[in-house]
Amino acid sequence: MKTIARHLLLFLAALLLCTACVDEDQFADNPKGNFEALWKIMDEHYCFFQEKGVDWDSIHTVYAQQINNQMTDEQLLEVLGNMLATLKDGHVNLFASFDYTRYWGFHENYPSNYSDTLVSRYLGTDYRIASGMKYRILDDQIGYLRCATFENNIGSGNLDDILLYLAPCRGLIIDLRDNGGGMITSAEELAARFTNKSILVGYIRHKTGKGHNDFSPMQEQWLKPGKGLRWQKPVVVLTNRQVYSAANEFVKYMRYCPNVKVVGDRTGGGAGLPFSSELPNGWSIRFSSCPMFDRNRQSTENGMAPDISVSLTMEDFYRNRDTIIETARKILGGKKK
Amino acid sequence: MSRLTTTIAIAAIATSLAAQENQPVQHATQRERAGQVSVGYTDILDTYLSQEKFTGTEFGYLSQTLWRRDSSKIVREAVHHVLVSVAGTRGNDKSLLSLLYNLRLGWMYRWHWASPRLTLLAGGAIDGTLGGAYDTRNSNNPAQARIALSIDPTARLTWQLHTGRRPLALHYDVTMPLIGMAFSPNYGQSYYEIFSRGDYDHNIVCTSPFSAPQLYQHLSLDFRLWRTTFRVGYLGEYRQMKANNLKYHQYTHSITLGWCY
């Protein structure tokens, strides 16, 4: 028995020798340390280096020269923000307590093609609101659904009520303009009401390692029919450059649904599901991590073109008419306002 | 008739005695139970959530039961351990909340020496962990599930001694997960892909001392006070895993205080 005990103790000791610390080097909490930490996080986790054509090593060379340990937080944030802006990605943000860096060139460099004033004129004051979406029936029997965000959960019962109320309409306008995204599951919930069968809408994959091209195989994204009331009539989805992230995904799904036209300007994109991490000084970094593709395996990171490209005209604006809504009404067989 | 009655009576008594002899002998079971609360310092790294380490306070409750039949050399053990930790990084206080439940069922062989009064228990255990961590600052990677099942070598050494008239018992418990399975997301895989879409990618990984070197050790002292046996000790837990290019560790050093009943 003593021999067995001795062997057991030796075995435990051998196991202890196998034991090694699972650890990660920590960068110093100073400007140089924070710069290196940020560069490394992006280097190992960001998913669009190839699509964007960015040589991240050369970016390090350029921006490391601009960092010194005497910098103020404001100066550091500015340099780090400039470095991140080379990625031209709206999902890349560095959050400090006093500001956050962003790249909004995907919509700031283009006409907005959206006016609150005009939309308010179409909605009036007696519109309904459910799951954060405003809706009403326009006077030519066209349903109008204003979906400004996917940040809220969209309830199945709410959708049933909305679609039942709009059921007498000859067609439906879903105004997605300026929708910056939110929960992808909400986008799926809404899109699922516009198909009667499962349809392949795209692909998604994720990083499997630190290399810039370490990705999993593309996984199919299927849009399954919603369980409640489903819309069977024509639909027009209105888009502009601020349709981003989950809203961009919604447009991707709707493009493959029957009787759907996309009208307006190109969407903003944002086809990388964002992850977060943190720098030694506590600033949070958000970055694209899981790239998504359409069903032709093309990246939608830079947005999608509409079926019918329309812009707001100044002439219509001064006549209180929204050119994009009016185009949609024409397509759906309604009358001009 | 009388002879027949006597014969039946003798036969009945003999049958009864035989039946008694065939009954299994009832052995007494020795049982040792202890409940302890713990508080300690924890150091957590989870590169799925952040590259920064989280440090903070961990609170726990540990229930340990050992039982053995008088005639047996086999001791069975059941350990329930609940851990709650609140931790933060250098830049953000209290940004990580963690909850773990650990159940360990062990079977150990007992060796006993009379002088000094030492008892060694050594054997194996089935070890299951369920829980998760939540990072209050993250977007699509806000949480990490911790699900693991392993087979562990385990040992316990007890030294019974006296200081004056006071009986004391010093225990050292050690357990090391040897081989098992654990859940891990892939390197950049979102929980949306796993749980909303059902896209799995090496999410169940095998664990061994090379990929998940872990150690649990507990040094404790039993002493009598006010007719109660109290237990005070040090608990060291080193949970670690490398899987799917992700790193995880949770090192905790705690003081435990409890009682035996």
Side-chain angles (χ1 to χ4, degrees):
Chain A
M1 286 301 171
K2 283 181 182 174
T3 313
I4 294 171
R6 198 176 298 129
H7 285 161
L8 203 62
L9 285 171
L10 279 172
F11 178 66
L12 282 171
L15 279 182
L16 271 169
L17 287 175
C18 293
T19 304
C21 284
V22 175
D23 212 348
E24 183 80 355
D25 288 337
Q26 301 284 284
F27 289 98
D29 182 10
N30 58 34
K32 284 188 177 175
N34 283 295
F35 167 78
E36 294 296 343
L38 176 63
W39 185 87
K40 183 169 179 270
I41 289 168
M42 297 300 287
D43 185 52
E44 294 178 349
H45 293 86
Y46 185 66
C47 69
F48 285 132
F49 285 120
Q50 195 168 26
E51 277 88 344
K52 307 274 183 182
V54 173
D55 179 351
W56 197 237
D57 290 328
S58 67
I59 294 291
H60 182 279
T61 308
V62 170
Y63 285 91
Q65 295 167 3
Q66 300 178 32
I67 302 290
N68 65 70
N69 284 342
Q70 284 70 50
M71 299 173 88
T72 63
D73 280 353
E74 283 79 3
Q75 290 167 333
L76 179 63
L77 188 70
E78 185 181 344
V79 175
L80 297 183
N82 290 341
M83 178 174 81
L84 296 173
T86 60
L87 298 168
K88 296 185 177 176
D89 187 332
H91 272 145
V92 173
N93 305 103
L94 181 60
F95 297 88
S97 57
F98 54 89
D99 198 3
Y100 71 92
T101 70
R102 64 266 176 190
Y103 172 79
W104 287 345
F106 61 89
H107 69 84
E108 285 177 338
N109 299 334
Y110 301 92
S112 75
N113 282 312
Y114 176 76
S115 161
D116 262 335
T117 310
L118 292 181
V119 167
S120 299
R121 184 171 146 65
Y122 283 84
L123 274 172
T125 53
D126 55 346
Y127 55 84
R128 294 178 166 213
I129 306 177
S131 275
M133 294 184 288
K134 298 173 181 175
Y135 62 104
R136 67 166 301 158
I137 298 173
L138 302 178
D139 57 10
D140 52 356
Q141 285 299 106
I142 302 290
Y144 177 80
L145 179 68
R146 171 77 186 130
C147 178
T149 181
F150 284 116
E151 283 177 2
N152 307 311
N153 273 315
I154 296 182
S156 182
N158 296 128
L159 279 180
D160 285 343
D161 290 339
I162 293 169
L163 296 180
L164 190 62
Y165 177 76
L166 299 173
C169 297
R170 66 179 84 184
L172 175 64
I173 296 170
I174 302 177
D175 192 346
L176 211 61
R177 290 175 295 172
D178 277 20
N179 184 327
M183 291 185 285
I184 204 165
T185 47
S186 293
E188 284 172 3
E189 182 77 35
L190 181 58
R193 298 305 182 102
F194 299 95
T195 179
N196 293 323
K197 59 178 184 180
S198 289
I199 43 179
L200 177 66
V201 290
Y203 295 87
I204 186 170
R205 64 182 183 180
H206 54 258
K207 290 205 70 187
T208 55
K210 295 175 180 176
H212 290 187
N213 294 312
D214 291 346
F215 287 106
S216 67
M218 287 193 187
Q219 297 290 333
E220 293 174 344
Q221 289 176 295
W222 287 85
L223 182 67
K224 293 175 184 165
K227 285 182 181 160
L229 211 57
R230 290 196 293 273
W231 187 261
Q232 307 296 326
K233 296 176 185 175
V235 180
V236 173
V237 178
L238 309 187
T239 56
N240 68 353
R241 295 271 178 170
Q242 283 209 57
V243 170
Y244 197 74
S245 192
N248 191 65
E249 275 292 286
F250 177 78
V251 175
K252 185 178 93 178
Y253 304 155
M254 292 297 285
R255 284 165 77 196
Y256 303 120
C257 292
N259 298 322
V260 175
K261 287 263 184 267
V262 180
V263 172
D265 198 358
R266 189 181 181 87
T267 61
L273 207 66
F275 268 34
S276 304
S277 192
E278 192 175 343
L279 303 191
N281 62 1
W283 293 354
S284 290
I285 171 68
R286 187 176 80 142
F287 52 86
S288 298
S289 178
C290 303
M292 292 176 283
F293 305 84
D294 66 15
R295 72 178 181 192
N296 299 316
R297 297 173 186 260
Q298 298 301 306
S299 173
T300 52
E301 166 64 8
N302 296 318
M304 288 167 286
D307 296 317
I308 300 166
S309 183
V310 182
S311 298
L312 283 186
T313 65
M314 290 308 287
E315 184 193 351
D316 277 341
F317 182 81
Y318 289 124
R319 291 167 62 191
N320 272 333
R321 284 156 44 99
D322 186 312
T323 319
I324 298 173
I325 293 178
E326 290 304 326
T327 306
R329 293 173 88 175
K330 258 195 219 172
I331 292 167
L332 295 171
K335 64 180 183 185
K336 281 195 176 182
K337 197 170 185 177
Chain B
M1 189 62 190
S2 162
R3 189 175 293 170
L4 179 64
T5 309
T6 308
T7 307
I8 291 169
I10 290 168
I13 291 165
T15 308
S16 168
L17 287 172
Q20 282 179 24
E21 281 169 8
N22 289 336
Q23 277 179 358
V25 177
Q26 296 295 317
H27 297 287
T29 299
Q30 290 188 7
R31 195 178 296 267
E32 178 189 323
R33 283 181 182 155
Q36 296 159 87
V37 291
S38 65
V39 60
Y41 169 83
T42 189
D43 172 332
I44 301 171
L45 171 76
D46 189 328
T47 57
Y48 183 75
L49 301 173
S50 172
Q51 309 305 299
E52 286 291 297
K53 287 179 190 170
F54 298 86
T55 54
T57 309
E58 187 170 281
F59 303 94
Y61 178 74
L62 177 68
S63 161
Q64 185 181 30
T65 307
L66 292 154
W67 66 97
R68 164 180 87 86
R69 283 187 181 165
D70 274 345
S71 61
S72 174
K73 291 278 190 187
I74 301 297
V75 178
R76 286 179 288 168
E77 182 189 40
V79 176
H80 300 268
H81 196 182
V82 178
L83 304 158
V84 178
S85 54
V86 181
T89 58
R90 286 179 282 184
N92 295 295
D93 288 343
K94 297 174 184 170
S95 53
L96 188 80
L97 307 171
S98 175
L99 175 67
L100 288 179
Y101 167 68
N102 178 241
L103 169 65
R104 201 170 65 240
L105 300 172
W107 291 264
M108 294 178 280
Y109 194 86
R110 179 176 183 269
W111 292 271
H112 182 71
W113 295 270
S115 180
R117 290 188 66 190
L118 283 175
T119 305
L120 173 66
L121 308 177
I126 295 171
D127 185 343
T129 300
L130 185 65
Y134 177 66
D135 187 328
T136 57
R137 296 172 59 86
N138 281 4
S139 50
N140 283 307
N141 55 331
Q144 176 69 289
R146 308 220 186 279
I147 305 166
L149 189 66
S150 62
I151 295 170
D152 310 351
T154 184
R156 175 183 171 90
L157 185 65
T158 299
W159 179 27
Q160 288 174 305
L161 64 161
H162 284 81
T163 53
R165 291 171 59 192
R166 286 186 186 278
L168 299 171
L170 194 62
H171 306 283
Y172 177 67
D173 294 84
V174 62
T175 300
M176 289 185 72
L178 181 64
I179 193 159
M181 293 182 297
F183 167 82
S184 171
N186 212 314
Y187 183 71
Q189 188 180 22
S190 62
Y191 275 60
Y192 162 74
E193 290 172 273
I194 302 171
F195 296 113
S196 296
R197 304 209 67 88
D199 294 341
Y200 304 109
D201 185 11
H202 302 103
N203 297 125
I204 303 296
V205 295
C206 287
T207 55
S208 70
F210 299 99
S211 63
Q214 303 191 62
L215 178 70
Y216 164 97
Q217 58 180 349
H218 188 194
L219 182 66
S220 57
L221 178 72
D222 291 355
F223 59 93
R224 296 277 300 172
L225 195 65
W226 306 310
R227 296 181 181 177
T228 305
T229 303
F230 287 96
R231 178 171 289 179
V232 62
Y234 158 78
L235 176 62
E237 288 176 287
Y238 312 90
R239 299 172 190 275
Q240 304 186 107
M241 187 165 77
K242 279 184 290 187
N244 293 332
N245 290 308
L246 295 170
K247 292 178 182 175
Y248 161 66
H249 79 217
Q250 185 163 353
Y251 306 142
T252 305
H253 304 278
S254 305
I255 299 295
T256 59
L257 178 64
W259 61 98
C260 301
Y261 55 97

